[in-house]
Amino acid sequence: MDVFEAAAEPNRRHLLGLLAERDRTAGELVDSLPTLTQPAVSRHLRVLREVGLVEVRPDGQRRIYALKPDGLQRIDDWITPYRRFWRDHLAAPRLETP
Amino acid sequence: MDVFEAAAEPNRRHLLGLLAERDRTAGELVDSLPTLTQPAVSRHLRVLREVGLVEVRPDGQRRIYALKPDGLQRIDDWITPYRRFWRDHLAAPRLETP
DNA sequence: GGCTTATATAAGCGCAAACGTATACCAGTG
DNA sequence: CACTGGTATACGTTTGCGCTTATATAAGCC
C-alpha cells in the first residue's frame, strides 16, 4: 500500500483531518468514527503509519498519534505539475468554444 | 469510485501524466502501457471519465482523450489545509528534539 | 456489402482490502 | 498479584478491483 491508496480511503482521510488539528490518542480517534469498531480504526492507523503519514509515541498505556508532514507532501509533489495545467485552462477552458 | 481512488491507481496516474502533456487517442494510451491489454486500459479510461478526470471526443473511429482540469483540483482542495501544516513543521520538525 | 481497424463492453477469476469477533499484549491500580 | 483500561493482532468472511479472454459496436476502406 502506498501513500495514494492510503489517502484514498474516506475514514483514513477523516483521521488525517483530526490529526491536522492536533495530536490525538488512539482512543479519541476510535471515538471519532462511531460506525467502525476499535480494531478497524486501529488497522487504519497502522496503514497510515506504514506509509509514513502519521507517527506514534507512547504515553503510558496510551498511544498518541501525530501527523507527519512529509508524507502528504509526496502527494502534493505529484499534483504540482497538474496545478499549472488547470491554472492555464481554467480561465479559458477551450479556445475553440463558440 | 471517487477521484481519490481513481488517482490512487499507478496505471491511471500514468495515463493522467501522458494526458497532461497533450491529448491522446485511446490507442496511444493503450500502447503506453505494454504490460496491460487493450480492454484493461479501456476500463481505466472509463474510470477516469466517470470521476471527471478526463473527457473524450470522437474523431472518426478514434476517441481522443483530454485531461479535465477541475477533477484534480478537488484533490488539491483537500490537500491545501495540510500544506500549511507541513510548511509550519518542516523547518523545525520537533521543538523537543535534543 | 464484406473486411479491417479502433474502441468499448461482457463474463469470469484471483487477490487484496476492509470489516467484525475474538484474543493477546502491556501499563496502570488496588 | 489480580484486575481493569487502552491498544494492537489473529482469523475468517465478504466485497470490490483489476486483470484476461472473448465478443460487440462502429467507422473506414475496397
Side-chain angles (χ1 to χ4, degrees):
Chain A
M1 169 110 42
D2 67 348
V3 192
F4 290 90
E5 293 177 36
E9 218 281 331
N11 292 315
R12 287 197 285 263
R13 283 203 304 280
H14 170 84
L15 295 173
L16 293 175
L18 292 180
L19 294 176
E21 299 175 1
R22 55 178 153 87
D23 298 359
R24 314 246 181 181
T25 66
E28 288 181 277
L29 297 171
V30 168
D31 294 344
S32 77
L33 285 169
T35 66
L36 294 188
T37 61
Q38 176 266 322
V41 178
S42 185
R43 264 181 287 100
H44 281 305
L45 290 171
R46 178 216 259 256
V47 170
L48 294 175
R49 244 184 294 138
E50 286 174 349
V51 302
L53 283 175
V54 305
E55 62 189 358
V56 205
R57 58 177 191 275
D59 174 40
Q61 80 187 123
R62 327 212 166 173
R63 301 269 188 149
I64 299 185
Y65 280 82
L67 199 59
K68 275 187 75 175
D70 42 331
L72 279 169
Q73 199 170 14
R74 278 190 280 160
I75 300 184
D76 196 58
D77 290 347
W78 172 75
I79 281 204
T80 297
Y82 297 96
R83 198 173 298 128
R84 182 192 57 77
F85 181 85
W86 73 65
R87 201 177 308 149
D88 295 353
H89 288 56
L90 212 59
R94 287 268 159 243
L95 230 65
E96 56 275 22
T97 301
Chain B
M1 169 115 36
D2 66 349
V3 190
F4 290 90
E5 293 176 34
E9 219 280 332
N11 292 315
R12 286 196 286 262
R13 283 204 303 279
H14 170 85
L15 295 173
L16 292 175
L18 292 181
L19 293 177
E21 299 175 1
R22 55 177 153 88
D23 298 358
R24 313 247 182 182
T25 67
E28 288 181 278
L29 298 170
V30 168
D31 293 344
S32 78
L33 286 168
T35 66
L36 295 189
T37 60
Q38 176 265 322
V41 178
S42 186
R43 292 198 64 122
H44 282 308
L45 290 172
R46 176 214 260 257
V47 170
L48 293 175
R49 244 184 295 138
E50 286 174 351
V51 302
L53 282 174
V54 305
E55 61 188 358
V56 205
R57 60 177 188 276
D59 174 39
Q61 80 187 124
R62 327 212 166 170
R63 301 268 186 151
I64 299 184
Y65 280 83
L67 198 59
K68 275 187 75 174
D70 42 329
L72 279 168
Q73 198 170 13
R74 278 190 279 161
I75 300 185
D76 196 59
D77 291 346
W78 172 76
I79 280 204
T80 297
Y82 298 96
R83 197 173 297 128
R84 182 191 58 77
F85 181 86
W86 74 65
R87 203 178 305 148
D88 295 352
H89 288 57
L90 211 61
R94 286 269 159 240
L95 229 67
E96 55 276 20
T97 301

